[in-house]
Amino acid sequence: MKILERDGNLVVCGVTDLDLAQTLDCGQCFRWEELPDGSFFGVALNRPCHLAMEGEELTFYNCTREEYDAYWEPYFDLGTDYTAVKEALCLDPVLKKAIDFAPGIRVLRQDSWEALCTFILSQNNNIKRIKGIVARLCETFGEPLAGGCYAFPTPQRLAALEPEDLAPLRCGFRARYVIDAARRVYDGRVDLESLKTLPLQEAEESLMQILGVGIKVADCALLYGCGRTDCVPVDVWIRRAMEELFPGGLPDCARPYAGLAQQYLFHYVRLCPDALPQHLAQDSTGKKAHKPHRKEKEL
């Protein structure tokens, strides 16, 4: 990829296998919004970011090369050859259909604490409500950033609170879980950095010490916040997909990229009406699946 500085902006040329809408609005992150002109604005890694993509040119507005190298190249995982990943996964015909449905998805490399906290808040929730809760969390307890934005609150900040202090967020039963997670991370009982290299089962067990964190939230935190692409978070959609499409488990071609395969599959079975037989293509309320408005997608 070639990188240019143009009018105070940074332009990355030759970016393939990336669609901003598919990547930023597929349920793996909750602080990005699409603007009327098709660009996206969000806060990630405690930095505001405005970016747009046209063809194979990815533009980061008001961004320096140093900032791109330190934050955005790793965040968007632009160093990973997704063409090679997709070629390997497409050896399986079902995964090929999933990839053809949304070929521009990339799994982001998010901050580990933010990923853990937001996926605790995501339980039994939909994307619109999760985004609202996360926005209120940051506005209430995060440090101010440039442009009226807010950083994600630190474990130290939240550890000093009680669950009732989160009442303005309207996050319900999840408040206790967030506070317990903050306290365990802050005092070192859960070491987020070590989760990146621990054997997978040990990493999952460490996270499941936290009140309200089961295997699905633990695996989401590991995949999206710790770069553990060996993790396959299993929710109701993935469970149905595995039972119907892969009863013997993921094919061999997917094993090196299991977490990435899961993301393509999750998006496919949730939004493509023909991905599963109709008796299985039901949402969590038992109604038949339909392609929801972007702001109404359920996790």
Side-chain angles (χ1 to χ4, degrees):
M1 291 181 288
K2 185 177 181 180
I3 300 175
L4 308 173
E5 293 189 34
R6 185 185 298 163
D7 301 325
N9 305 320
L10 190 132
V11 182
V12 186
C13 306
V15 177
T16 60
D17 309 299
L18 174 64
D19 181 289
L20 293 179
Q22 291 174 9
T23 296
L24 299 175
D25 203 22
C26 69
Q28 63 172 315
C29 56
F30 306 103
R31 299 197 70 191
W32 293 91
E33 296 292 342
E34 185 172 3
L35 303 181
D37 64 358
S39 65
F40 278 79
F41 182 83
V43 180
L45 308 177
N46 291 330
R47 305 182 75 84
C49 180
H50 182 200
L51 73 166
M53 191 160 188
E54 184 173 353
E56 294 186 357
E57 285 194 352
L58 179 61
T59 299
F60 291 87
Y61 297 104
N62 300 312
C63 178
T64 66
R65 177 62 187 267
E66 291 74 21
E67 184 180 7
Y68 169 78
D69 287 343
Y71 299 100
W72 305 123
E73 190 273 346
Y75 180 80
F76 286 96
D77 200 18
L78 294 174
T80 294
D81 185 352
Y82 264 69
T83 298
V85 170
K86 292 195 295 186
E87 286 177 353
L89 294 177
C90 283
L91 294 173
D92 178 84
V94 174
L95 288 175
K96 184 178 188 306
K97 289 180 181 179
I99 290 169
D100 288 345
F101 181 73
I105 289 178
R106 282 179 177 254
V107 172
L108 302 170
R109 301 297 181 104
Q110 301 179 61
D111 173 76
S112 54
W113 162 242
E114 181 172 339
L116 170 60
C117 192
T118 55
F119 277 98
I120 288 173
L121 292 169
S122 78
Q123 296 179 78
N124 302 314
N125 223 334
N126 63 58
I127 291 176
K128 180 179 179 180
R129 289 193 66 242
I130 299 163
K131 285 186 173 184
I133 293 170
V134 171
R136 292 189 290 274
L137 175 69
C138 297
E139 291 164 8
T140 307
F141 301 111
E143 291 295 321
L145 300 173
C149 298
Y150 294 87
F152 198 86
T154 64
Q156 180 179 4
R157 177 72 176 93
L158 296 182
L161 303 176
E162 297 297 332
E164 52 267 29
D165 294 323
L166 302 190
L169 310 184
R170 302 193 296 278
C171 63
F173 65 89
R174 306 167 191 87
R176 292 188 304 132
Y177 304 164
V178 168
I179 298 301
D180 189 64
R183 290 173 178 172
R184 289 176 183 272
V185 171
Y186 177 55
D187 68 19
R189 283 177 288 170
V190 174
D191 180 357
L192 295 177
E193 189 61 32
S194 73
L195 300 180
K196 299 175 182 179
T197 55
L198 278 174
L200 180 56
Q201 185 175 347
E202 289 183 32
E204 291 169 336
E205 290 172 352
S206 176
L207 286 170
M208 288 191 290
Q209 299 175 53
I210 298 168
L211 183 66
V213 172
I215 188 65
K216 186 253 185 179
V217 170
D219 281 345
C220 284
L222 291 169
L223 173 60
Y224 303 117
C226 299
R228 297 294 299 261
T229 55
D230 51 344
C231 264
V232 180
V234 177
D235 70 340
V236 64
W237 291 106
I238 292 298
R239 185 173 295 108
R240 290 171 183 157
M242 296 302 293
E243 289 173 355
E244 181 68 18
L245 304 175
F246 298 108
L250 286 171
D252 289 342
C253 67
R255 296 192 187 281
Y257 318 104
L260 308 186
Q262 175 272 156
Q263 191 64 32
Y264 289 116
L265 193 60
F266 172 74
H267 194 71
Y268 175 58
V269 298
R270 207 167 47 107
L271 297 184
C272 179
D274 301 323
L276 293 173
Q278 286 302 303
H279 71 284
L280 289 175
Q282 297 178 339
D283 65 19
S284 59
T285 67
K287 297 177 182 178
K288 286 189 176 181
H290 65 291
K291 188 169 183 177
H293 187 278
R294 177 176 294 164
K295 296 183 180 296
E296 298 174 347
K297 298 171 189 171
E298 289 190 357
L299 292 180

